[in-house]
C-alpha cells in the first residue's frame, strides 16, 4: 500500500484564510440580511487599470491569429516582461539585476511556498511571529517544522517575536538558523524596516551563511522616504537574498495571477559534499520542470504597467488603498484602538478590544458590526490578542465599517 507525506497530517486541518472564509460563509447563511464588509484576506476590490485592460484585449486578439498566436512560453517568463522588470523595478533605481535573474511566475504565494524544493530539508528556518502562514505551513509540509508544541510554535522553527514591547521589529535570531524569512512591508503587522535595520539583517546573513528569503509583495505601498523597497538596495544582499514580488496588490492581479522571484547569480549554497552551488540554475531547473510559465495574455497585461499610463494608473490605485488605510487609522484611533501599520502598507494591526482573544474579537466584529478581519493568532502565537484589517475594500465600505466601529 502506498504511503502519504505524513507531514501533511501534522498541520491544522485548514489554511488560515480558508478557515476565515468558511466561518463567513456559515455566518452569512444563518444571517442572510447581514451586510458584511470584508477586511479579512488581502484581496483587492479596484478593477484592473485601463492600460492593463487594453493590453489584455490586444493579447487576446494576438491569440486569434496564426502568426501572433502563442502556445507554451518560456517557463521563466517572456523576455518582453523580464526586461521591463529589470529596467524599471531595479536598474532605474540604481539596483543591478539582470533579466536572467528574474523568474516570472503565477504569484509570490506559489514561489515562497515552492522555493523550499531547492533547499535541503535539514535547514533550520526562522520566521517572525506573527508571520504570513505560507512560510511556516510549506516548511512543515517539507518536514522542516518538527512537531506542533502546546504553545502553538513548531519545534524545529525559530520564532522571532514582533510584539508591542519591541515595536513589532524582530530581533536577530538566537540560534543561527540557515534560512530566514522576512516580509517588508510586513504582512500581517503593516510595519516597515528602515535601511539600517535591513542592513543589519543582510550583514547577519553574510556573517552566518544564512539565506534570506525576502518577500517584497507590498513594496508598492512604501511612501516614507528612505524606506527600501527592495532588499537589493542593501549592499551585499545579492550574495544572500532571494526576493519575491507580486503584481497582486500593486496592480490588482489577485485573480489573474502574476509575480516574480529574483535569484541573483552570486547566491550560492553548500551541497552535501561541501561544494558551493549557485541557486539561480537550481531554481531555473525547478521552474522549467514543474511550471509551464504564466500565460502570455497575463504577461502582456503586466507589461502595460511599465508604460507611463500604467505607472500612473497603478500608483493611483495604490494611493486609493493607502487613502482607505488613513481613514481606518484615524477612525480606529479615535475609537480607542491601539494600531500599527497602515502608512506604508495596506494592513493595520490592532489590539483586540477588552482583552478579547483574536478569535473572540473576530466573532464580536462579525456578529455585532458585520465586519470581517483576520484573527492575529492565525499568524502565530505572538499574534494572539491582535487582529488584522485590510485597506483593500472600497472607500465607501471602509468609511461605513469605521462608522460602525465608532458607534
Ligand atoms: C493575505 O491576506 O495575507 C494575502 O492576501 C494572502 C496572499 O497574498 O496570499
Amino acid at each position: 500500500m502506498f504511503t502519504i507525506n505524513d507531514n501533511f497530517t501534522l498541520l491544522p486541518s485548514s489554511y488560515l484564510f480558508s478557515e476565515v472564509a468558511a466561518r463567513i460563509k456559515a455566518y452569512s447563511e444563518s444571517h442572510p440580511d447581514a451586510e458584511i464588509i470584508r477586511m479579512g484576506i488581502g484581496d483587492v476590490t479596484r478593477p484592473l487599470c485601463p492600460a492593463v485592460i487594453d493590453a489584455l484585449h490586444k493579447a487576446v486578439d494576438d491569440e486569434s491569429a496564426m502568426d501572433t498566436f502563442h502556445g507554451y512560453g518560456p517557463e521563466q517568463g517572456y523576455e518582453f516582461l523580464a526586461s521591463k522588470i529589470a529596467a524599471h523595478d531595479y536598474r532605474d533605481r540604481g539596483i543591478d539585476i539582470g533579466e536572467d535573474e528574474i523568474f516570472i511566475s503565477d504569484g509570490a504565494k506559489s514561489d515562497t511556498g515552492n522555493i523550499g524544493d531547492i533547499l535541503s530539508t535539514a535547514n533550520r528556518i526562522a520566521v517572525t511571529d506573527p508571520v504570513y502562514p505560507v512560510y511556516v505551513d510549506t516548511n512543515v509540509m517539507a518536514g522542516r517544522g518538527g512537531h506542533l508544541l502546546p504553545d502553538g510554535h513548531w519545534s524545529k522553527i525559530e520564532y522571532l517575536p514582533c510584539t508591542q514591547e519591541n515595536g513589532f521589529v524582530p530581533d536577530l535570531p538566537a540560534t543561527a538558523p540557515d534560512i530566514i524569512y522576512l516580509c517588508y512591508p510586513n504582512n500581517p503587522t503593516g510595519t516597515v524596516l528602515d535601511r539600517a535595520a535591513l542592513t543589519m539583517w543582510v550583514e547577519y546573513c553574510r556573517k552566518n551563511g544564512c539565506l534570506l528569503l525576502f518577500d517584497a509583495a507590498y513594496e508598492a505601498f512604501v511612501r516614507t522616504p528612505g524606506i527600501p523597497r527592495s532588499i537589493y538596495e542593501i549592499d551585499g544582499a545579492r550574495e544572500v537574498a532571494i526576493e519575491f514580488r507580486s503584481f497582486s496588490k500593486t496592480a490588482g492581479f489577485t485573480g489573474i495571477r502574476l509575480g516574480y522571484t529574483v535569484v541573483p547569480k552570486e547566491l550560492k549554497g553548500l551541497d552535501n559534499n561541501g561544494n558551493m552551488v549557485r541557486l539561480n540554475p537550481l531554481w531555473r531547473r525547478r521552474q522549467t520542470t514543474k511550471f509551464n510559465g504564466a500565460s502570455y495574455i497575463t504577461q502582456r497585461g503586466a507589461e502595460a504597467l511599465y508604460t507611463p499610463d500604467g505607472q500612473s494608473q497603478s500608483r493611483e490605485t495604490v494611493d486609493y488603498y493607502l487613502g482607505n488605510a488613513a481613514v481606518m487609522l484615524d477612525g480606529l484611533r479615535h475609537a480607542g484602538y491601539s494600531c500599527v501599520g497602515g502608512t506604508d502598507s495596506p494592513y493595520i494591526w490592532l489590539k483586540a478590544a477588552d482583552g478579547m482573544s483574536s478569535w473572540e474579537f473576530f466573532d464580536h466584529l462579525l456578529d455585532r458590526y458585520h465586519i470581517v478581519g483576520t484573527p492575529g493568532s492565525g499568524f502565530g502565537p505572538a499574534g494572539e490578542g491582535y487582529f488584522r484589517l485590510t485597506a483593500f475594500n472600497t472607500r465607501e465600505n471602509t468609511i461605513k465599517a469605521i462608522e460602525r466601529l465608532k458607534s
Side-chain angles (χ1 to χ4, degrees):
M1 185 65 188
F2 69 89
T3 54
I4 60 154
N5 176 352
D6 272 354
N7 296 320
F8 277 71
T9 65
L10 302 173
L11 286 164
S13 60
S14 61
Y15 178 58
L16 173 61
F17 294 107
S18 315
E19 173 69 27
V20 170
R23 292 200 190 202
I24 304 170
K25 186 164 179 280
Y27 187 85
S28 308
E29 280 165 8
S30 57
H31 300 77
D33 296 331
E35 190 208 339
I36 295 174
I37 299 180
R38 291 163 196 259
M39 301 172 121
I41 190 166
D43 197 5
V44 295
T45 49
R46 303 262 290 172
L48 297 171
C49 67
V52 169
I53 291 293
D54 287 349
L56 290 173
H57 281 300
K58 188 170 171 311
V60 170
D61 288 343
D62 286 350
E63 298 299 70
S64 71
M66 193 73 98
D67 54 349
T68 49
F69 169 75
H70 289 74
Y72 290 128
E75 294 88 346
Q76 68 279 13
Y78 283 99
E79 195 275 337
F80 65 75
L81 180 57
S83 59
K84 308 273 182 337
I85 292 171
H88 290 258
D89 292 350
Y90 294 103
R91 285 201 293 271
D92 286 357
R93 297 181 188 169
I95 303 167
D96 174 28
I97 294 292
E99 284 153 41
D100 51 359
E101 296 174 313
I102 292 166
F103 295 85
I104 296 161
S105 71
D106 65 347
K109 179 178 181 178
S110 322
D111 284 0
T112 53
N114 291 332
I115 196 73
D117 277 12
I118 63 166
L119 301 165
S120 160
T121 51
N123 285 304
R124 287 156 305 135
I125 73 153
V127 295
T128 59
D129 179 11
V131 68
Y132 178 42
V134 169
Y135 314 151
V136 170
D137 289 8
T138 55
N139 275 290
V140 171
M141 289 171 182
R144 292 188 201 95
H147 58 274
L148 192 56
L149 299 167
D151 68 1
H153 288 133
W154 290 89
S155 61
K156 286 193 190 164
I157 295 179
E158 179 170 359
Y159 289 82
L160 312 169
C162 298
T163 58
Q164 199 152 14
E165 289 68 48
N166 62 13
F168 302 96
V169 175
D171 291 330
L172 290 173
T175 64
D178 303 300
I179 300 171
I180 300 168
Y181 288 79
L182 289 181
C183 172
Y184 284 96
N186 186 252
N187 181 11
T189 64
T191 54
V192 288
L193 289 187
D194 63 17
R195 185 172 299 277
L198 289 175
T199 302
M200 180 185 84
W201 282 98
V202 168
E203 278 171 6
Y204 176 88
C205 289
R206 284 164 66 88
K207 190 159 154 242
N208 293 282
C210 302
L211 172 64
L212 177 57
L213 297 177
F214 190 78
D215 187 347
Y218 302 94
E219 54 79 33
F221 291 80
V222 172
R223 290 288 182 272
T224 303
I227 300 293
R229 289 172 62 171
S230 165
I231 195 64
Y232 304 118
E233 289 181 44
I234 309 299
D235 284 345
R238 285 180 57 89
E239 285 153 42
V240 291
I242 290 178
E243 178 162 288
F244 303 93
R245 292 240 187 150
S246 168
F247 292 98
S248 288
K249 320 293 156 94
T250 315
F253 278 45
T254 51
I256 64 172
R257 311 297 312 147
L258 204 68
Y260 64 88
T261 289
V262 180
V263 188
K265 295 227 178 109
E266 286 90 328
L267 185 56
K268 292 181 190 157
L270 278 182
D271 71 8
N272 261 339
N273 300 317
N275 303 310
M276 292 298 273
V277 176
R278 287 185 200 280
L279 267 57
N280 178 296
L282 298 189
W283 184 242
R284 185 175 305 276
R285 187 71 174 86
R286 191 266 172 213
Q287 290 300 79
T288 50
T289 306
K290 290 197 179 181
F291 181 59
N292 251 341
S295 83
Y296 167 75
I297 297 169
T298 312
Q299 292 186 66
R300 280 290 184 206
E303 184 191 21
L305 290 165
Y306 295 98
T307 61
D309 281 351
Q311 292 278 290
S312 66
Q313 291 164 6
S314 56
R315 188 177 167 100
E316 200 182 302
T317 298
V318 171
D319 283 344
Y320 176 92
Y321 294 133
L322 285 169
N324 286 349
V327 168
M328 291 162 69
L329 269 183
D330 185 60
L332 288 165
R333 285 185 175 140
H334 270 91
Y337 288 96
S338 151
C339 321
V340 290
T343 49
D344 293 296
S345 159
Y347 295 128
I348 292 176
W349 187 245
L350 58 123
K351 189 131 185 62
D354 303 327
M356 278 186 243
S357 75
S358 299
W359 278 108
E360 282 167 355
F361 192 61
F362 174 89
D363 290 335
H364 171 71
L365 282 197
L366 181 57
D367 205 33
R368 176 133 179 220
Y369 303 105
H370 300 156
I371 294 171
V372 173
T374 310
S377 56
F379 297 99
E384 182 55 280
Y386 284 86
F387 204 71
R388 193 193 75 174
L389 289 175
T390 81
F392 286 122
N393 215 307
T394 60
R395 182 65 49 82
E396 188 194 1
N397 276 346
T398 302
I399 292 171
K400 206 185 279 180
I402 294 301
E403 288 308 319
R404 286 184 195 171
L405 280 177
K406 282 203 220 156
S407 72

